[in-house]
Amino acid sequence: MIDQTKQILADLIAFPTVSADSNLSMINYLCDKLEKAGARVDIELDGSGKKANLFATLGPDRDGGIVLSGHSDVVPVTDQDWASDPFEMIEHNGRLFGRGACDMKGFIAATVAMAPMFARHVHHRSLHFAFTYDEEVGCLGAEQLAQSLLARSTTPSLAIIGEPTSMQIIEGHKGCFEYTTRFQGLEGHGSTPDCGVNAVEYAVRYVNRLLELRDQLRNMAPSGSRFEPPWTTLNVGSLTGGSVHNVIPPRAEVEWEMRPTQSSDANFVKDEIQRYCDEVLLPAMRTIHPGAKIETETIGEVAGLIPTDENQALKLVSELTGTNCADLVSFGTEAGIFQSLGMDVVICGPGSIEQAHKANEYVSLDQLKQCILMLEKLGQALARS
């Protein structure tokens, strides 16, 4: 199985599925592999027709199935100092190098390599494969897949998200909400600032209000929160605008994000910052220029994975791995989207997040073997169910 997994992983790494580009070649490759194993495969294109999700099923078409999920896209390699071609797998000292090796083509390769075995063992409980597009830029494919799953007559009950966790079980992470806020003012000469609307100045006031809200969030942490830090965080990533020192800048842009521990915190921030715009900033801007605007684009609002007292996915993966403990992580995944559909969800996959997104990304053979062992035990469990 490790040799088959390595070959499939080499093939997957060779597909340069950077989020900005198409993933169709990789999806078609996975479709062929799974269909040959006997799976029923659905491919769902995005609006552009250049990207797709894959959802495949082995076993009966009934409620209560198990989902093995991974994203097909990878982050860019631009300006990274790789020791080898990032889209050609290299094996060295027990490590497999290549873009996506751990995030998260290693897990996908292992599940597809195991598909023929799963096909022999699945009898009464269905097993699903969910491979998505554009996780790295806002979980766009998973959001589309979620809508498709809602429309189905049958619903899976468990999901295992194979993000790199060093094969440790993860039961929770914060959400990730990303925004770009744009300011339209009125340009003019720097010597007469009262005759223009300085978009940069209003963007600065907007940022100051966000920072005030960030301080308030520290006192709103849920009781007993296990997250680190325990409260919802807020970060301003960039503020851009203006061109030269003697021109009133008519446009500015703020990129910001928050990582909510609970949905009420996200609603609080969005309501408060919108109220500040409507009651303070916009009236002042429009006193001078009625056409002044403040517009916020939602880049992505990815739900967090909330730890629950009863989690059948956690129970199952604990039995498969022999691990009785579960932890939380700071990075985001698609897990919360599957949880929002009513599934019990955990994250567990080969490789370390410490290698993800970096030059010379790798997954160790030992990690892949541990993943294969978990999947073999999953096949045995399916045979008994």
Side-chain angles (χ1 to χ4, degrees):
M1 274 301 150
I2 189 63
D3 289 338
Q4 294 179 41
T5 298
K6 285 167 57 178
Q7 182 55 61
I8 293 173
L9 178 55
D11 293 342
L12 296 183
I13 287 173
F15 294 111
T17 52
V18 175
S19 302
D21 302 321
S22 174
N23 72 336
L24 291 183
S25 294
M26 177 173 161
I27 290 295
N28 289 333
Y29 170 91
L30 294 170
C31 175
D32 181 65
K33 288 284 188 182
L34 290 170
E35 285 185 335
K36 286 180 178 178
R40 303 182 298 280
V41 181
D42 292 325
I43 293 178
E44 181 181 49
L45 295 171
D46 75 337
S48 72
K50 297 179 180 179
K51 299 179 181 181
N53 293 321
L54 180 153
F55 189 80
T57 301
L58 289 169
D61 189 17
R62 62 175 61 170
D63 290 337
I66 299 170
V67 177
L68 301 175
S69 177
H71 61 81
S72 64
D73 61 316
V74 297
V75 297
V77 298
T78 307
D79 298 327
Q80 292 187 340
D81 186 18
W82 282 74
S84 60
D85 182 346
F87 297 109
E88 179 182 352
M89 191 182 81
I90 300 295
E91 182 174 352
H92 181 66
N93 287 340
R95 296 173 176 178
L96 304 175
F97 292 86
R99 173 53 85 223
C102 72
D103 188 20
M104 54 186 300
K105 293 181 177 182
F107 178 77
I108 294 175
T111 62
V112 174
M114 299 295 291
M117 182 275 291
F118 287 137
R120 293 191 299 270
H121 289 357
V122 170
H123 301 301
H124 304 294
R125 188 174 193 179
S126 54
L127 180 70
H128 307 284
F129 304 79
F131 303 140
T132 59
Y133 68 88
D134 281 3
E135 187 269 352
E136 299 288 4
V137 290
C139 297
L140 306 182
E143 293 284 5
Q144 180 179 349
L145 178 62
Q147 295 305 309
S148 299
L149 293 178
L150 283 173
R152 287 176 173 263
S153 58
T154 57
T155 305
S157 61
L158 308 182
I160 302 171
I161 314 299
E163 290 277 6
T165 67
S166 299
M167 293 304 297
Q168 301 302 305
I169 303 173
I170 303 301
E171 62 173 337
H173 63 74
K174 295 180 182 181
C176 183
F177 289 24
E178 299 178 329
Y179 306 96
T180 299
T181 302
R182 298 181 177 91
F183 299 78
Q184 178 65 55
L186 180 66
E187 67 182 350
H189 198 284
S191 65
T192 56
D194 292 343
C195 295
V197 177
N198 191 314
V200 170
E201 291 183 7
Y202 283 96
V204 169
R205 294 173 65 180
Y206 183 92
V207 168
N208 284 335
R209 180 58 182 148
L210 285 176
L211 298 182
E212 291 173 355
L213 295 173
R214 183 176 70 179
D215 290 340
Q216 293 182 47
L217 290 169
R218 288 174 171 266
N219 299 318
M220 297 168 61
S223 176
S225 173
R226 293 164 53 204
F227 289 109
E228 180 57 42
W231 52 80
T232 293
T233 60
L234 192 155
N235 179 66
V236 177
S238 73
L239 192 164
T240 57
S243 55
V244 293
H245 64 277
N246 60 353
V247 174
I248 298 171
R251 286 174 293 277
E253 183 174 284
V254 175
E255 295 181 326
W256 59 284
E257 65 148 33
M258 57 178 158
R259 306 277 175 139
T261 60
Q262 51 192 350
S263 59
S264 58
D265 287 354
N267 293 333
F268 165 75
V269 171
K270 290 190 289 184
D271 290 346
E272 288 300 314
I273 197 65
Q274 187 60 51
R275 182 178 297 110
Y276 184 65
C277 290
D278 293 342
E279 298 180 0
V280 179
L281 297 185
L282 280 170
M285 295 169 75
R286 288 173 176 170
T287 297
I288 300 170
H289 178 47
K293 294 184 293 186
I294 301 175
E295 297 177 334
T296 295
E297 176 188 2
T298 299
I299 305 302
E301 293 184 337
V302 180
L305 176 62
I306 308 303
T308 58
D309 293 335
E310 293 294 328
N311 186 334
Q312 292 301 310
L314 175 58
K315 179 180 179 181
L316 172 64
V317 178
S318 295
E319 293 171 353
L320 300 179
T321 61
T323 302
N324 294 320
C325 60
D327 207 346
L328 309 182
V329 291
S330 58
F331 60 88
T333 76
E334 297 170 331
I337 296 173
F338 288 93
Q339 187 180 56
S340 71
L341 298 175
M343 299 184 208
D344 287 352
V345 186
V346 292
I347 308 163
C348 184
S352 169
I353 197 66
E354 293 300 319
Q355 273 70 58
H357 297 194
K358 296 180 180 178
N360 304 317
E361 176 184 347
Y362 70 85
V363 63
S364 71
L365 288 173
D366 179 66
Q367 284 284 299
L368 276 184
K369 290 175 182 177
Q370 290 184 48
C371 182
I372 290 169
L373 179 60
M374 178 186 75
L375 296 174
E376 287 177 342
K377 291 184 177 180
L378 174 60
Q380 295 165 10
L382 288 168
R384 295 192 299 267
S385 63

